[in-house]
Amino acid sequence: MRFKILNQVFFNAIDNVSRALSTKTPMPILKAIKTDVTKEGIFLTASNANITIKQFVAKEVDGQKIMEIEETGSAAIPGRLLLEVLRKAHSEYVELALYEEKMVKITFGNSEFTLNCYDVREYPNISLISSTDPIRIKAKELAQLINQTVISVSTNESRPILTGVNLWVENNELICVATDSYRLSRKVVTLSEPRTEPINIIVPGKSLQELSRILVDFDEEVAIHLSPNMIAFEFDHLIFQSRLISGKYPDTNRLIPQNFGLELTMDRQELIDVIDRVSLLSREGATNIIKFDIYEDKTIVSLESPEIGKVTEEIVPKHQSGSLIRIGFNSKYLLDALRVLEDDEVTLKFTGEVRPFVIVTKDVTVTQLILPVRIE
Amino acid sequence: MRFKILNQVFFNAIDNVSRALSTKTPMPILKAIKTDVTKEGIFLTASNANITIKQFVAKEVDGQKIMEIEETGSAAIPGRLLLEVLRKAHSEYVELALYEEKMVKITFGNSEFTLNCYDVREYPNISLISSTDPIRIKAKELAQLINQTVISVSTNESRPILTGVNLWVENNELICVATDSYRLSRKVVTLSEPRTEPINIIVPGKSLQELSRILVDFDEEVAIHLSPNMIAFEFDHLIFQSRLISGKYPDTNRLIPQNFGLELTMDRQELIDVIDRVSLLSREGATNIIKFDIYEDKTIVSLESPEIGKVTEEIVPKHQSGSLIRIGFNSKYLLDALRVLEDDEVTLKFTGEVRPFVIVTKDVTVTQLILPVRIE
């Protein structure tokens, strides 16, 4: 194995696959990035218990030569170290060569790194799923879908199902829901073609967060492949495969109220600033329960902590309709929801003081729901 | 106590004194900022076991009105919380008022915070030292002096003296030395007037680091007051007082060699990049000892770790004189030294493979010294 490659291209590819590197693992070889050099280009693979990422770097892109391959071959190179070496190689090209099947030499400028490698023959054989008829979705839409739902996945491993995002298809709609049983996020994406086969899966929230970080740089279509226990996202010569969580996700359709007695429309950034300030008292104190006292002409947002003090903020809604209530809930949930919504205005819709309320925007595809707590 | 003040000015002052706030303390009141409102302006005080910071905010600055004082008085306000509230108050003015001697109300825009205060009568009485004939030094020079020496203070509390910077005066020179016994930093500042009284003190490195962070924003003269066990830095209505470390600092004058058999001049940034890359292998490995093999036309910098691999970098000095050696030392020490020097070029001067070597620049007031380790 011996090749010379544009460092910026190689670094970006290594950076992508390194998101699947294991840090703590009973299999040390999973700290390596498997590097397979063929005549057409380089395949890079990294894997951990949840996800596998495989990226192909083509020899040429749009007529631009990316690399020169002198010798094909494979190596299992320590992933983190390779990434850091490339990050600090202030050089246009880097050259990699395998020696004695157990060391890789990385050279650039006046620098030469020799890294001990793992035995590539011991790298586990990970099969990647594929299908001829994948679900297709734009990368930006997929990233938005993830960001707007993943806030509500549970971090509590005692109910593993709730640590995932539930995805299912109804006709030509892909529906995504996450809930930790205190709040819920729901997003609907319209597919270009209706699907006939039944799809209803649970994808680990952490996998989706890693995927979302890679998607940031892309602006094209993603193909989604499914198997009974795997999901794979394919885009730009990259396959991101995650295990699925088995089990039956709770039915969340009934949870979102449809009729509301009170609607408040507010400036999103203004409300973020208010909740952010009010939350200052919750950080050091025992409670993070804020109260909304909704009057005809204004809403008072408040938080009281006997040890620390109290804060009240007044906010004048842009529009308001319906009867008045007083409601208490976790300030963090509202802040998370407001931050992933994208319109300038948000509408809070209430049905009662102890009933869930929703936060929506002009973009009707996304709904955030929060369960209130009883307050005195 | 009741006043209205320009938030930007008040926030900056609170930010400055908050560097002396205690986080863990047997005296909870030291989590407060003592706020004394007089007819002329506001005094703010915070204190911990090592330092006390007192700042005065004048009612008017250059004819600009900073505050309106409606009622004088004192309060001991929770410091961290006050700082965070002001940081998030997107308002030109904030108003503070004391209620029932135990709560302070902070109002701005549509926000109202009521914070429980400490009993200001219980705030310890901290005397600040002063003198009619302080040492005077420019803020930028003082900041540079701190940054260029404090890297070498010891973090090991078993020899408390070495956790401080030794300062003494010889005629019109202020000399500062720090050493953790593996490396040494020395800086000389010329004073505008010679001093006759003997001065030789040890200032805690941590105190100087906090001072340096406040100095960043200033560009004027600092007056330094001394007492047998305290040092106070006075500038821009602010007094920063630190305890001194008692004891006798080791004599460091003999440690810096004066004659060198080999001198290498290199581009500082190029050398930083080289050491930074070579150090990649030390992070994950057992050793952080790098080797310099100095040949006539080039220097090879290398690090070898049996488990991880090895790295060699070649660097061509801009100038070189003297006989050749091979020397090993801790890469972190060289990186620290290079980063606080300010010239484009640095010169490394050696006397032998197991003798200390120095790093100097065109600015002859600063010397960095490193002890090598024996290598095979």
Side-chain angles (χ1 to χ4, degrees):
Chain A
M1 183 190 98
R2 178 188 287 271
F3 62 95
K4 187 176 176 182
I5 187 167
L6 271 175
N7 186 31
Q8 194 56 53
V9 175
F10 194 47
F11 172 76
N12 286 343
I14 294 288
D15 193 27
N16 282 342
V17 298
S18 70
R19 298 191 177 279
L21 283 175
S22 299
T23 41
K24 293 170 191 167
T25 168
M27 280 179 72
I29 200 170
L30 292 184
K31 293 180 181 174
I33 292 175
K34 184 164 182 274
T35 307
D36 297 298
V37 181
T38 69
K39 282 181 184 165
E40 289 71 38
I42 303 170
F43 292 89
L44 301 167
T45 310
S47 188
N48 62 34
N50 287 312
I51 57 176
T52 297
I53 304 176
K54 183 169 186 174
Q55 176 151 18
F56 175 66
V57 185
K59 208 171 161 181
E60 264 190 38
V61 174
D62 301 333
Q64 194 203 356
K65 203 171 180 180
I66 303 296
M67 68 189 79
E68 274 178 54
I69 296 166
E70 288 186 38
E71 202 183 321
T72 60
S74 295
I77 309 171
R80 288 270 150 235
L81 197 50
L82 176 60
L83 181 69
E84 292 312 315
V85 169
L86 298 178
R87 192 195 302 279
K88 297 198 185 237
H90 308 303
S91 186
E92 195 179 357
Y93 286 91
V94 295
E95 198 173 333
L96 275 80
L98 185 68
Y99 282 83
E100 299 167 24
E101 288 192 17
K102 62 183 182 196
M103 285 175 294
V104 69
K105 199 169 274 189
I106 310 167
T107 45
F108 51 89
N110 291 318
S111 311
E112 184 182 283
F113 283 79
T114 309
L115 308 185
N116 297 341
C117 290
Y118 299 89
D119 185 347
V120 71
R121 290 163 300 189
E122 289 177 9
Y123 199 90
N125 191 11
I126 300 153
S127 57
L128 294 169
I129 61 169
S130 188
S131 58
T132 52
D133 183 25
I135 300 170
R136 292 188 189 278
I137 181 172
K138 285 189 190 121
K140 296 282 175 220
E141 275 189 312
L142 179 57
Q144 193 191 41
L145 175 160
I146 293 169
N147 296 336
Q148 292 186 332
T149 55
V150 85
I151 52 165
S152 290
V153 297
S154 172
T155 51
N156 184 339
E157 294 287 340
S158 68
R159 276 186 78 186
I161 277 184
L162 296 189
T163 65
V165 176
N166 184 206
L167 287 93
W168 74 94
V169 173
E170 283 178 12
N171 302 315
N172 64 338
E173 287 190 332
L174 173 66
I175 301 151
C176 312
V177 169
T179 180
D180 58 9
S181 77
Y182 303 106
R183 54 175 161 172
L184 179 148
S185 299
R186 186 181 201 265
K187 171 81 177 177
V188 178
V189 175
T190 303
L191 302 173
S192 47
E193 295 164 32
R195 310 288 301 188
T196 49
E197 78 278 25
I199 296 172
N200 192 329
I201 56 173
I202 308 165
V203 188
K206 282 181 188 163
S207 299
L208 292 175
Q209 273 168 329
E210 289 298 347
L211 173 62
S212 148
R213 290 189 188 115
I214 299 178
L215 282 173
V216 163
D217 299 329
F218 291 96
D219 190 16
E220 48 195 88
E221 230 174 34
V222 177
I224 304 177
H225 306 272
L226 289 170
S227 82
N229 52 10
M230 290 286 174
I231 185 168
F233 302 86
E234 186 180 1
F235 54 99
D236 199 49
H237 300 302
L238 185 147
I239 295 170
F240 182 107
Q241 178 167 298
S242 169
R243 70 175 177 91
L244 297 177
I245 298 173
S246 58
K248 192 167 155 45
Y249 203 82
D251 179 11
T252 51
N253 273 322
R254 300 164 297 112
L255 295 179
I256 303 176
Q258 298 302 322
N259 300 302
F260 303 94
L262 168 63
E263 301 192 6
L264 289 184
T265 300
M266 292 171 170
D267 183 87
R268 185 170 66 94
Q269 191 55 51
E270 187 185 351
L271 188 55
I272 288 176
D273 288 346
V274 164
I275 307 300
D276 196 29
R277 274 196 299 267
V278 173
S279 305
L280 281 176
L281 253 67
S282 71
R283 272 185 220 160
E284 307 204 12
T287 179
N288 46 13
I289 301 305
I290 57 171
K291 289 174 204 162
F292 270 45
D293 284 283
I294 302 164
Y295 299 103
E296 263 175 55
D297 54 344
K298 65 187 177 193
T299 292
I300 304 293
V301 181
S302 65
L303 190 149
E304 192 162 354
S305 156
E307 312 85 50
I308 296 173
K310 69 173 181 183
V311 49
T312 62
E313 297 257 354
E314 192 181 301
I315 184 163
V316 178
K318 295 190 155 191
H319 309 287
Q320 175 165 352
S321 68
S323 53
L324 317 178
I325 64 162
R326 186 154 188 264
I327 195 163
F329 54 89
N330 188 321
S331 63
K332 182 182 180 303
Y333 298 164
L334 181 56
L335 211 46
D336 285 348
L338 290 172
R339 282 182 173 147
V340 297
L341 293 173
E342 293 177 358
D343 283 320
D344 291 341
E345 290 185 356
V346 292
T347 301
L348 281 63
K349 298 183 176 186
F350 301 90
T351 57
E353 304 193 355
V354 292
R355 302 287 308 279
F357 66 95
V358 301
I359 307 115
V360 295
T361 65
K362 269 178 293 187
D363 173 6
V364 297
T365 65
V366 58
T367 305
Q368 305 288 349
L369 174 144
I370 296 173
L371 254 73
V373 294
R374 275 181 205 278
I375 49 176
E376 78 289 352
Chain B
M1 184 191 98
R2 179 188 286 271
F3 62 94
K4 187 175 176 182
I5 187 168
L6 270 174
N7 185 32
Q8 194 55 54
V9 176
F10 194 46
F11 172 75
N12 286 343
I14 293 290
D15 193 27
N16 282 343
V17 297
S18 70
R19 298 192 178 278
L21 283 175
S22 299
T23 41
K24 293 172 191 165
T25 168
M27 280 180 73
I29 200 170
L30 292 183
K31 293 180 180 173
I33 292 175
K34 184 162 181 275
T35 307
D36 296 298
V37 181
T38 69
K39 283 180 183 165
E40 288 71 39
I42 304 170
F43 292 89
L44 301 166
T45 309
S47 189
N48 62 34
N50 287 313
I51 56 175
T52 297
I53 305 177
K54 183 169 186 174
Q55 176 151 18
F56 176 66
V57 185
K59 208 170 161 181
E60 265 190 38
V61 174
D62 301 333
Q64 195 204 357
K65 203 171 179 179
I66 302 296
M67 67 189 79
E68 273 178 54
I69 295 166
E70 288 187 39
E71 202 183 321
T72 60
S74 295
I77 309 172
R80 287 270 151 235
L81 198 49
L82 176 60
L83 181 68
E84 292 313 313
V85 170
L86 297 178
R87 193 196 301 278
K88 297 200 183 228
H90 309 304
S91 186
E92 195 180 358
Y93 286 91
V94 294
E95 198 173 334
L96 275 80
L98 186 66
Y99 282 84
E100 300 168 22
E101 289 192 16
K102 61 182 183 196
M103 286 175 294
V104 69
K105 199 170 271 186
I106 310 168
T107 46
F108 51 89
N110 290 318
S111 311
E112 183 183 282
F113 282 80
T114 308
L115 308 185
N116 298 340
C117 290
Y118 299 88
D119 185 345
V120 72
R121 290 163 300 189
E122 288 177 11
Y123 200 89
N125 191 12
I126 299 152
S127 57
L128 294 170
I129 61 168
S130 189
S131 58
T132 51
D133 183 26
I135 301 170
R136 293 189 187 278
I137 180 171
K138 286 191 190 120
K140 297 278 175 222
E141 276 190 312
L142 179 57
Q144 194 191 40
L145 174 162
I146 293 170
N147 297 336
Q148 292 186 333
T149 55
V150 84
I151 53 166
S152 291
V153 297
S154 171
T155 51
N156 184 339
E157 295 287 340
S158 68
R159 276 188 78 187
I161 276 184
L162 296 187
T163 64
V165 176
N166 184 205
L167 288 93
W168 73 95
V169 173
E170 283 178 13
N171 303 314
N172 65 338
E173 287 191 333
L174 174 66
I175 300 151
C176 311
V177 169
T179 180
D180 58 8
S181 77
Y182 303 107
R183 55 176 160 172
L184 178 148
S185 299
R186 186 180 201 266
K187 170 83 178 176
V188 178
V189 175
T190 303
L191 302 173
S192 46
E193 295 162 33
R195 310 288 301 187
T196 48
E197 79 278 24
I199 294 173
N200 193 329
I201 57 173
I202 308 165
V203 188
K206 283 181 187 162
S207 300
L208 292 175
Q209 273 168 328
E210 291 297 347
L211 174 62
S212 148
R213 290 187 188 118
I214 299 178
L215 281 173
V216 163
D217 298 329
F218 291 95
D219 191 14
E220 47 195 271
E221 229 173 34
V222 176
I224 304 177
H225 306 273
L226 288 171
S227 82
N229 52 10
M230 290 285 173
I231 185 167
F233 302 86
E234 186 180 1
F235 55 99
D236 199 48
H237 299 303
L238 185 146
I239 296 170
F240 183 107
Q241 178 168 297
S242 169
R243 71 175 177 90
L244 297 176
I245 298 173
S246 58
K248 191 167 156 45
Y249 203 82
D251 179 11
T252 53
N253 274 321
R254 301 165 296 112
L255 295 179
I256 302 176
Q258 298 301 323
N259 300 301
F260 304 94
L262 169 62
E263 301 191 6
L264 289 184
T265 300
M266 293 172 169
D267 182 87
R268 185 170 66 95
Q269 190 55 51
E270 187 185 351
L271 188 53
I272 287 177
D273 289 347
V274 164
I275 307 299
D276 195 31
R277 274 195 300 266
V278 173
S279 304
L280 280 176
L281 254 66
S282 71
R283 272 185 219 158
E284 307 203 12
T287 179
N288 46 13
I289 301 305
I290 58 172
K291 288 175 205 160
F292 270 46
D293 285 283
I294 302 165
Y295 299 102
E296 262 176 57
D297 54 343
K298 65 187 177 193
T299 293
I300 305 292
V301 182
S302 66
L303 190 148
E304 192 161 355
S305 157
E307 313 86 50
I308 297 173
K310 70 174 180 183
V311 49
T312 63
E313 298 257 353
E314 192 181 303
I315 184 163
V316 178
K318 294 189 157 194
H319 310 287
Q320 174 165 350
S321 69
S323 54
L324 317 177
I325 65 163
R326 185 154 188 263
I327 195 163
F329 53 91
N330 187 321
S331 62
K332 181 183 181 303
Y333 298 164
L334 181 56
L335 210 46
D336 286 348
L338 291 171
R339 282 181 173 148
V340 297
L341 293 172
E342 294 176 357
D343 283 321
D344 290 342
E345 290 185 354
V346 293
T347 301
L348 281 64
K349 299 184 175 185
F350 302 89
T351 57
E353 306 194 352
V354 292
R355 302 287 309 279
F357 66 96
V358 300
I359 307 113
V360 294
T361 65
K362 269 178 292 186
D363 173 6
V364 296
T365 65
V366 57
T367 305
Q368 305 288 350
L369 175 145
I370 296 173
L371 254 75
V373 295
R374 275 180 204 279
I375 50 177
E376 79 289 351

